[in-house]
Amino acid sequence: ASVVLNYIEQAVRLNLPLPRVVQALAESEGGRFSRDLEEARIRLEQGESLATVLEVIPKIPPRIIGLVAAAERTGRLPQVMSRMMEQRRNAISRGLGYMPIYRMYPLVLALTLVSVASLWMIYVVPRFEQIFRDFKTDPPAITQFVISMLRIAWPWAPLLLIVIFLALLFNAIVTRWQGAGYGIIPGLTERIADFLPIVGRIRMIRALGDAMAFAADAVEAGRPLDVSLLEAGQLSSNAHLRRRIDGWVDLLNHGRSPSQAARDAHLPRLIWGMLATAVQTPDLAPVLRFLGRYYSTRFSRSIALLEASIAPMMAIIMGFFVALLALSVFAPMISLIQTVSSPALRR
């Protein structure tokens, strides 16, 4: 699906004949996929729309088909296809650049810590306790604290790691199976992130920027505002934003002005404040385009700062646990050395 979309985007952007591009794809593939592409080429030559052709190809998400159909109606197919492919490329680059650090590093280090701590609790701690009983002294406070925490956490820590590992494995399988790993549709973790307090708001604001940009394209092409907003709502996978845009469109259909409908649909104050100034229809497209640019870049600095700080934060947190475990290992040895070398401490 991603390969087909990439070739179609290039053909639309370069104004190449789509049937020939699809035929070249069919000749380079084999099996059922080649037959599906050949059927798509025939339907294209018969005058059917590109969205109808995409329905023939398996693994094309309905969201993409709806976006392409709306873009064809508004005459903005090259711009919408380019935007979708840019989102796909950004998703792939983020996945390749950050997934090994953000997901694998904490998991591998946590498994290593649990393994070392388990071996230490099984083989080392009983010997230390016996030695300290023989010398009639207590282990260091840091060692007692770590031993108490490990005894409380066992066996919950290994069980938690197993659950996290299975959750990551399930998410990876579902993401690749649905095509979300290639930036075509949102993945399971992205859908969960939409409901988080701070992250969900950031994601909704960025999705609002995409929706406003798409609505500006549709209005500029002569589409009515309600239809443009309804099609723009399909651009985003954010459930909160889709509900608000649907409420906005419903209020518009009941006779409310764009500004009043946006306010009653609980959209941000800037949107209905700017729309209140756009009384005439020709002013709507520039206002919507400005809102799209504003909300697309509103949290860009915060997101860049967050992404840059994740790796140092993980290193500091994991380093704290490593240092705590190392101190709990070396502190008893230092205490025993002091006990053996000092006659006063032995008495």
Side-chain angles (χ1 to χ4, degrees):
S2 59
V3 171
V4 170
L5 286 175
N6 188 34
Y7 277 105
I8 290 178
E9 186 271 333
Q10 294 183 26
V12 171
R13 177 164 46 85
L14 300 176
N15 200 21
L16 299 177
L18 286 178
R20 294 185 182 179
V21 173
V22 176
Q23 182 180 6
L25 278 172
E27 293 175 353
S28 63
E29 300 292 337
R32 181 180 176 181
F33 189 42
S34 177
R35 294 192 296 271
D36 291 336
L37 290 175
E38 184 63 25
E39 182 180 353
R41 182 190 66 82
I42 295 174
R43 297 177 70 171
L44 268 178
E45 291 179 345
Q46 291 175 352
E48 297 192 21
S49 65
L50 181 59
T52 307
V53 173
L54 292 180
E55 295 176 355
V56 181
I57 304 173
K59 296 297 183 180
I60 296 287
R63 169 179 172 266
I64 299 299
I65 296 176
L67 283 175
V68 171
E72 284 185 299
R73 288 193 296 269
T74 59
R76 307 289 293 185
L77 184 60
Q79 292 82 355
V80 173
M81 292 289 295
S82 299
R83 190 178 301 142
M84 286 191 302
M85 291 298 101
E86 183 65 25
Q87 292 177 355
R88 173 182 177 270
R89 286 188 288 268
N90 292 336
I92 293 176
S93 63
R94 285 196 303 268
L96 294 177
Y98 297 121
M99 191 184 74
I101 297 178
Y102 292 170
R103 297 183 181 179
M104 297 307 298
Y105 172 71
L107 182 62
V108 170
L109 189 54
L111 289 173
T112 304
L113 286 175
V114 169
S115 302
V116 173
S118 301
L119 294 175
W120 183 63
M121 288 290 294
I122 295 173
Y123 297 104
V124 179
V125 170
R127 300 296 180 89
F128 273 161
E129 291 178 339
Q130 182 63 43
I131 293 174
F132 278 102
R133 282 195 297 266
D134 294 340
F135 281 95
K136 298 179 180 180
T137 184
D138 295 328
I142 183 67
T143 303
Q144 296 183 31
F145 172 76
V146 173
I147 292 174
S148 301
M149 294 300 297
L150 290 177
R151 284 175 176 169
I152 294 174
W154 187 266
W156 301 110
L159 181 61
L160 180 61
L161 288 177
I162 293 174
V163 171
I164 293 175
F165 175 77
L166 293 178
L168 291 176
L169 182 63
F170 174 77
N171 178 65
I173 293 175
V174 172
T175 298
R176 297 295 174 179
W177 177 66
Q178 292 183 339
Y182 303 100
I184 298 178
I185 60 174
L188 180 61
T189 54
E190 295 177 340
R191 296 176 185 176
I192 296 175
D194 290 336
F195 294 91
L196 298 179
I198 299 177
V199 179
R201 174 172 172 76
I202 294 176
R203 290 179 57 82
M204 192 187 76
I205 291 299
R206 296 185 67 180
L208 184 60
D210 293 337
M212 292 296 100
F214 185 89
D217 293 339
V219 170
E220 199 172 52
R223 304 283 291 179
L225 179 60
D226 55 344
V227 177
S228 302
L229 292 174
L230 190 62
E231 293 174 347
Q234 304 302 317
L235 177 69
S236 172
S237 61
N238 192 290
H240 301 295
L241 179 60
R242 284 203 307 270
R243 285 196 297 268
R244 294 189 183 186
I245 291 181
D246 290 341
W248 188 6
V249 174
D250 185 65
L251 292 171
L252 282 174
N253 293 330
H254 282 80
R256 302 283 184 88
S257 66
S259 176
Q260 293 176 345
R263 181 179 57 187
D264 295 339
H266 305 289
L267 287 164
R269 182 183 181 90
L270 179 63
I271 290 182
W272 52 268
M274 291 290 294
L275 289 176
T277 64
V279 180
Q280 302 297 327
T281 303
D283 298 332
L284 271 179
V287 169
L288 292 174
R289 196 171 303 282
F290 166 78
L291 292 171
R293 290 195 302 266
Y294 172 77
Y295 285 112
S296 296
T297 60
R298 180 177 177 182
F299 290 103
S300 58
R301 293 184 179 180
S302 300
I303 294 174
L305 180 61
L306 180 62
E307 290 180 349
S309 61
I310 286 180
M313 289 172 57
M314 287 194 308
I316 291 173
I317 294 173
M318 293 301 176
F320 170 77
F321 288 110
V322 171
L324 191 64
L325 185 60
L327 286 175
S328 64
V329 173
F330 289 104
M333 300 169 57
I334 297 173
S335 178
L336 288 175
I337 292 173
Q338 292 177 349
T339 302
V340 172
S341 61
S342 177
L345 291 177
R346 285 199 297 269
R347 289 196 297 267

